[in-house]
């Protein structure tokens, strides 16, 4: 199955041409709260990441990467923040972020 980016409107697919451009693909975190932060950052309604979901490196800032070894890794605590979304999805409302901040492990159902 081909790997493609889960971000809305992103056309990046894992291929030789994207690798030559330096674009890498990254799995969603296993940690429940960090995974939820990534899902909220995508601003896709009713989106839940699966094991197959990936985000491309275009959605992270250069400071989010650890490039010290052979493998490009996302630093712990990094959340995707670079998106080319339509105007109505550019900002996350205060109420939506406030609801997210109050989530605890006990309230999440997996």
């Amino acid at each position: 199955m081909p790997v493609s980016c889960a971000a809305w409107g992103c056309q990046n697919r894992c291929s030789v041409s994207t690798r030559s451009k330096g674009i890498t693909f990254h799995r969603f975190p296993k940690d429940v709260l960090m995974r939820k932060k990534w899902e909220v950052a995508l601003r896709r309604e009713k989106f839940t990441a699966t094991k197959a979901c990936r985000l491309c490196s275009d959605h992270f800032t250069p400071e989010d990467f650890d490039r010290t070894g052979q493998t490009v890794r996302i630093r712990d605590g990094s959340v995707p923040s670079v998106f080319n979304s339509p105007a109505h999805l550019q900002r996350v409302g205060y109420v939506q972020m406030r609801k997210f901040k109050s989530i605890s492990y006990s309230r999440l159902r997996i």
Side-chain angles (χ1 to χ4, degrees):
M1 175 179 266
V3 175
S4 59
C5 185
W8 185 90
C10 184
Q11 299 295 316
N12 288 333
R13 307 287 182 264
C14 188
S15 65
V16 174
S17 64
T18 55
R19 286 184 198 156
S20 67
K21 293 176 187 174
I23 297 173
T24 54
F25 288 82
H26 305 274
R27 293 181 177 166
F28 280 70
K30 291 180 182 178
D31 176 66
V32 178
L33 288 179
M34 188 55 68
R35 177 182 286 262
K36 191 68 177 168
K37 285 182 182 182
W38 281 35
E39 291 171 353
V40 169
L42 287 178
R43 298 182 185 114
R44 287 181 56 185
E45 192 173 325
K46 298 179 184 177
F47 174 78
T48 303
T50 64
K51 289 182 180 182
C53 288
R54 306 284 191 273
L55 272 181
C56 72
S57 55
D58 284 355
H59 305 293
F60 295 90
T61 62
E63 296 80 28
D64 292 334
F65 295 103
D66 178 9
R67 298 182 186 268
T68 55
Q70 282 186 314
T71 305
V72 176
R73 297 181 191 276
I74 301 291
R75 293 186 190 277
D76 289 340
S78 296
V79 177
S81 58
V82 181
F83 296 98
N84 190 15
S85 304
H88 71 282
L89 295 178
Q90 288 292 328
R91 296 185 62 197
V92 175
Y94 172 75
V95 174
Q96 186 179 7
M97 286 304 293
R98 188 169 177 205
K99 284 181 185 177
F100 174 72
K101 288 180 181 177
S102 66
I103 291 175
S104 67
Y105 279 107
S106 60
R107 293 178 63 193
L108 291 175
R109 294 186 181 141
I110 301 173

